[in-house]
Amino acid sequence: MTDSIDYKTTLNLPKTDFPMRANLAQREPAMLKQWQDDDLYQHIRQARAGCEKYILHDGPPYANGDIHLGHAVNKTLKDIVIKSKTLSGFDAPYIPGWDCHGLPIEHNVEKKIGKAGVKVEYSKFRQKCRDYAMRQVEGQRKDFVRIGVFGDWDNPYLTMNFDVEANIIRAIGKIAENGHLVKGYKPVYWSVVGGSALAEAEVEYQDKTSFSIDVAYPVEDKDQLAVLDAAFGGLAGEGPINFLIWTTTPWTIPSSQAISVGSDLEYSLVQAGSVKLICGSDLLESVAQRLELEEYKVVASCQGAALENIVAQHPFYGRSIPVLLGDHVTTDAGTGCVHTAPDHGLDDFAVSNKYGISTLNYILDNGVFKDDVELFAGQHVYKVDEAVNQVLTDHGRLMSCGKITHSYAHCWRTKTPLIYRATPQWFISMEQNGLLEKAKSAIKSVDWHPEWGEARIRGMLEASPDWCISRQRTWGVPIALFVHKQTGELHSNTADIIEQVATLVEQSGMDAWYDLDAAELLGEEADNYQKVTDTLDVWFDSGVTHASVIGARDELTYPADLYLEGSDQHRGWFQSSLKTAIAINGTAPYKAVLTHGFTVDENGRKMSKSIGNVVSPQKVINELGADVLRLWVASADFSAEMTVSDEILKRAGDSYRRIRNTARYFLSNIDGFDPQKNLVEHSDLLALDRWAIDCASQLQE
């Protein structure tokens, strides 16, 4: 019997030390630590020094709470771009940032130590806010690094850094110098919970159930009845005459000062039981349904223009209510007669202003009616609707009362309903010095990915009112201006004052402004000027990072090559950055803008804790590894909603294993291969091999 032969040793079998199992959740942290210990990011910077720059500017996430899946998607897409550009030969630094001021941080600190100025000194409160924000930054930074995002994590930009705060103040000074800053008294979105004004970008819409009421405004004066008689060509029928209005905000009725009608709309005088009502002819059917009119008769009609300046009466106050002509009146809903309260609506404010009607200012910052408001003193706007309805009933003016569920403005931070409230605020004017037209022109030169991004931001701009940038908060960058106590004008030397203040803030932060004695800068003029105590909208903080960060760091260049964020930022950061860049530099802050969609579950629903469909990136990383999460992001169509579920991520894990094992097979086949000794000349290759290499080359390109 012959000895057995080990044929395995005679074969060139695949061989590799590359393991079949990735064990990503266990091995990735060690890899990341090695890269950090080797300072890999800075080595890449040195290797690319002197190359053409490519700047992706990071839109700062808010420093509050754990990162969610949307954060992971956003940072992974940015990382893919940065690494791709780096491999393509560009010097592509990535400076991550955080938005650190604002209401949510202030609220969280209030819960722990009490309200600023009441329970704790302002300076101590601001320091606690700074400490809280820093803890949030540390937590989020740790998770972003764990995802494998390369960046200058040791030197990020924070909007609460003293140098950034100083540059934000310089930015508002430059905008004022260029003539885009105005102080105005007009209705703005107001958070009664936060006690502060809000901008459009801080508003989200949620369903809300409100009262739906029709109210009669009587015409009683004989002279006014004679004018009505002439307008309608006769007042046939019987009973008193009333203008009929419809509203879903009964709490605004005490502030009602006029009725607006459309000049080109037709209005009917309707016999409805024992009274006559005036309403839009096209809305009669819906009015009859709400008022439950079994029978009604149109006894006369006229154009809205004929009703101008007729005077009705307030439904329960002894106040004259003139009829105005307003372009905002439509026949989409209601009665065609719009109760007009300039305190509580932009259209109302604009039409009232044309007729010389000013605001009443009945409501305090916290949403409570002032003590001198008849019938409703001390009541809160959230709770007063039933009381208003009862007063209307007692006066015989409530013609219908129901409930309606509709989309209503809410604060995106506190999730509470907002009101419109007329207050003195600082605005960036969209019309003054042509800012709106310049912004619309600038977006034409930007590459938008997907292309519909251009139309979306154009629509947002066209619908954008003047930007209210002032807030009545404690934790925020101050609007570091001095205004004349009598004229309200800015100090003539504002530019120099701004620079002096900014220099102080660079040394000790925003407290330098609040602790500043005006006489230190204004000398003998100090008694004539008032120091502004409002803070800046946080969207301004992040919006001017093209100046406060890009313009201040040597490794960055303006304008940025790319801004990359979620589709909601057309009304947020993309827009605030564009407006401020135009106001400061006259150019867009970005050459290109890339938009990605939101994450949804397999049924197309948004991620929600209440639904229970939230996919935690931390959980995915701990179970499957960051590379599986990154592979899912890389393989998804980011231009639309990105569907994700445990099953989808499991399939991404399967794909990862196939990719890994394919790579392992390749590696095992080139074990012992030395290109210097074993490489075959291209001309000597088999045709099949040449074809395979050509296919691979085309794919790589």
Side-chain angles (χ1 to χ4, degrees):
M1 186 175 179
T2 59
D3 294 336
S4 61
I5 300 173
D6 184 4
Y7 290 103
K8 182 178 178 181
T9 60
T10 71
L11 300 176
N12 187 17
L13 294 174
K15 179 182 175 184
T16 180
D17 293 330
F18 189 69
M20 181 179 294
R21 294 182 60 82
N23 293 323
L24 293 177
Q26 292 74 38
R27 296 182 64 226
E28 284 175 342
M31 278 188 265
L32 291 169
K33 185 177 185 306
Q34 184 65 52
W35 294 342
Q36 290 170 339
D37 291 345
D38 292 344
D39 202 7
L40 184 56
Y41 175 80
Q42 291 303 331
H43 279 300
I44 293 172
R45 297 278 63 74
Q46 293 166 14
R48 285 290 180 263
C51 296
E52 183 181 350
K53 292 274 190 181
Y54 186 89
I55 305 301
L56 187 159
H57 182 43
D58 189 34
Y62 195 70
N64 188 38
D66 296 332
I67 70 166
H68 52 67
L69 194 60
H71 288 124
V73 167
N74 180 260
K75 283 292 194 282
T76 299
L77 289 174
K78 289 174 179 175
D79 196 49
I80 290 171
V81 171
I82 291 292
K83 286 173 178 169
S84 170
K85 290 296 180 181
T86 300
L87 289 169
S88 299
F90 289 90
D91 180 9
Y94 178 60
I95 310 298
W98 274 273
D99 210 350
C100 301
H101 299 120
L103 188 60
I105 292 171
E106 197 165 324
H107 269 172
N108 278 296
V109 174
E110 277 182 3
K111 292 176 186 175
K112 296 178 180 178
I113 66 172
K115 200 171 184 66
V118 179
K119 295 283 189 180
V120 63
E121 293 180 357
Y122 286 104
S123 59
K124 182 178 179 181
F125 185 87
R126 281 190 284 268
Q127 184 57 51
K128 291 294 184 183
C129 288
R130 187 176 295 277
D131 295 341
Y132 175 87
M134 197 65 235
R135 290 194 298 272
Q136 303 302 304
V137 167
E138 293 297 344
Q140 292 186 10
R141 170 162 43 192
K142 181 180 177 182
D143 284 342
F144 288 142
V145 170
R146 178 63 185 87
I147 292 172
V149 178
F150 274 17
D152 195 352
W153 294 108
D154 294 330
N155 190 30
Y157 78 84
L158 311 179
T159 58
M160 67 178 181
N161 285 349
F162 291 174
D163 60 331
V164 178
E165 288 179 341
N167 287 331
I168 292 170
I169 290 172
R170 290 187 176 101
I172 192 65
K174 189 66 175 178
I175 290 172
E177 183 181 343
N178 290 343
H180 299 291
L181 184 68
V182 296
K183 189 175 184 181
Y185 190 87
K186 63 174 67 175
V188 294
Y189 280 118
W190 186 269
S191 170
V192 299
V193 173
S196 178
L198 298 181
E200 287 280 340
E202 296 173 292
V203 178
E204 65 180 19
Y205 288 85
Q206 300 177 13
D207 284 347
K208 177 179 181 292
T209 300
S210 304
F211 281 102
S212 166
I213 63 173
D214 288 272
V215 182
Y217 282 58
V219 181
E220 298 172 341
D221 185 89
K222 290 183 179 180
D223 292 338
Q224 298 303 315
L225 289 170
V227 179
L228 264 181
D229 182 82
F232 281 108
L235 299 178
E238 58 186 31
I241 298 176
N242 300 270
F243 281 89
L244 186 69
I245 71 97
W246 172 79
T247 184
T248 58
T249 54
W251 63 268
T252 63
I253 295 291
S255 300
S256 185
Q257 295 197 71
I259 296 169
S260 296
V261 299
S263 60
D264 296 329
L265 302 181
E266 183 183 86
Y267 288 82
S268 294
L269 181 64
V270 181
Q271 185 71 54
S274 60
V275 299
K276 294 197 289 287
L277 303 173
I278 298 171
C279 64
S281 301
D282 291 342
L283 293 160
L284 275 176
E285 186 175 338
S286 60
V287 167
Q289 289 178 353
R290 288 200 305 274
L291 270 59
E292 298 180 349
L293 299 176
E294 295 182 2
E295 293 184 3
Y296 64 89
K297 180 181 179 182
V298 176
V299 297
S301 62
C302 71
Q303 292 296 107
L307 302 174
E308 184 180 20
N309 293 324
I310 290 173
V311 179
Q313 297 299 309
H314 192 279
F316 49 73
Y317 287 154
R319 179 188 303 156
S320 295
I321 301 291
V323 177
L324 319 179
L325 300 182
D327 295 336
H328 63 291
V329 182
T330 69
T331 55
D332 294 339
T335 68
C337 301
V338 179
H339 119 73
T340 302
D343 286 84
H344 304 304
L346 282 174
D347 290 328
D348 295 23
F349 182 85
V351 71
S352 297
N353 193 45
K354 288 181 181 178
Y355 286 84
I357 300 173
S358 60
T359 53
L360 297 171
N361 197 22
Y362 278 173
I363 296 173
L364 298 170
D365 291 359
N366 61 359
V368 172
F369 280 92
K370 292 181 176 178
D371 290 341
D372 59 353
V373 178
E374 184 182 354
L375 301 175
F376 308 107
Q379 297 196 54
H380 196 282
V381 292
Y382 284 176
K383 302 176 181 179
V384 77
D385 282 350
E386 290 188 4
V388 173
N389 292 344
Q390 186 58 54
V391 171
L392 289 169
T393 300
D394 294 343
H395 284 75
R397 305 301 182 198
L398 190 64
M399 305 301 292
S400 81
C401 181
K403 291 287 185 75
I404 184 174
T405 299
H406 57 148
S407 182
Y408 191 85
H410 285 66
C411 173
W412 77 320
R413 296 297 192 190
T414 65
K415 308 301 181 185
T416 53
L418 300 174
I419 66 172
Y420 264 116
R421 178 171 177 254
T423 58
Q425 302 290 342
W426 291 93
F427 297 86
I428 292 180
S429 171
M430 296 306 296
E431 299 299 334
Q432 188 166 300
N433 290 334
L435 183 58
L436 177 59
E437 291 306 315
K438 291 175 184 176
K440 287 162 62 176
S441 177
I443 62 177
K444 297 176 184 176
S445 63
V446 176
D447 291 329
W448 298 91
H449 307 277
E451 291 182 356
W452 52 257
E454 180 177 353
R456 180 175 172 84
I457 197 166
R458 183 178 299 279
M460 295 286 183
L461 285 171
E462 290 176 345
S464 173
D466 290 348
W467 177 10
C468 177
I469 61 168
S470 50
R471 297 291 180 273
Q472 293 68 48
R473 306 305 316 168
T474 301
W475 177 235
V477 178
I479 300 178
L481 301 171
F482 288 101
V483 295
H484 197 278
K485 292 179 180 178
Q486 300 300 320
T487 66
E489 296 294 323
L490 292 178
H491 194 283
S492 59
N493 198 28
T494 290
D496 288 342
I497 292 170
I498 283 282
E499 182 53 39
Q500 292 180 63
V501 172
T503 301
L504 294 172
V505 170
E506 279 178 331
Q507 298 168 5
S508 54
M510 68 174 75
D511 282 327
W513 171 253
Y514 296 111
D515 296 339
L516 180 69
D517 185 343
E520 295 178 36
L521 297 182
L522 306 185
E524 296 179 357
E525 292 184 299
D527 290 342
N528 298 324
Y529 284 87
Q530 183 175 358
K531 186 167 66 170
V532 176
T533 57
D534 288 348
T535 58
L536 283 162
D537 172 13
V538 291
W539 284 105
F540 186 91
D541 290 9
S542 60
V544 298
T545 53
H546 55 79
S548 63
V549 177
I550 293 180
R553 292 209 179 196
D554 292 338
E555 68 267 43
L556 303 177
T557 55
Y558 178 93
D561 291 280
L562 182 67
Y563 276 33
L564 189 163
E565 304 298 333
S567 56
D568 58 331
Q569 296 308 317
H570 287 96
R571 69 191 299 264
W573 192 56
F574 296 155
Q575 191 174 157
S576 64
S577 299
L578 177 67
K579 290 176 179 176
T580 55
I582 297 294
I584 294 173
N585 301 314
T587 60
Y590 34 65
K591 297 176 185 177
V593 171
L594 187 148
T595 303
H596 64 81
F598 294 113
T599 55
V600 296
D601 67 14
E602 64 270 30
N603 298 312
R605 299 175 301 179
K606 290 176 66 175
M607 299 288 168
S608 168
K609 290 181 180 178
S610 60
I611 297 176
N613 63 348
V614 172
V615 175
S616 163
Q618 294 86 349
K619 182 173 182 287
V620 176
I621 291 168
N622 290 336
E623 292 180 358
L624 301 175
D627 254 359
V628 171
L629 180 62
R630 293 169 63 94
L631 178 60
W632 165 72
V633 174
S635 61
D637 179 4
F638 64 81
S639 65
E641 290 182 334
M642 302 172 69
T643 305
V644 63
S645 66
D646 290 339
E647 178 59 30
I648 289 171
L649 289 167
K650 181 178 178 295
R651 290 203 296 268
D654 293 339
S655 296
Y656 178 85
R657 278 188 290 275
R658 285 194 295 272
I659 293 170
R660 180 182 183 85
N661 286 328
T662 301
R664 183 172 183 271
Y665 181 75
F666 288 163
L667 290 170
S668 69
N669 269 283
I670 60 172
D671 178 60
F673 177 78
D674 183 347
Q676 299 298 324
K677 299 177 182 178
N678 309 122
L679 192 66
V680 178
E681 290 295 330
H682 190 270
S683 58
D684 295 335
L685 290 172
L686 296 176
L688 181 63
D689 290 335
R690 291 201 300 272
W691 172 81
I693 291 172
D694 183 58
C695 288
S697 177
Q698 290 185 48
L699 178 62
Q700 183 172 328
E701 286 300 315

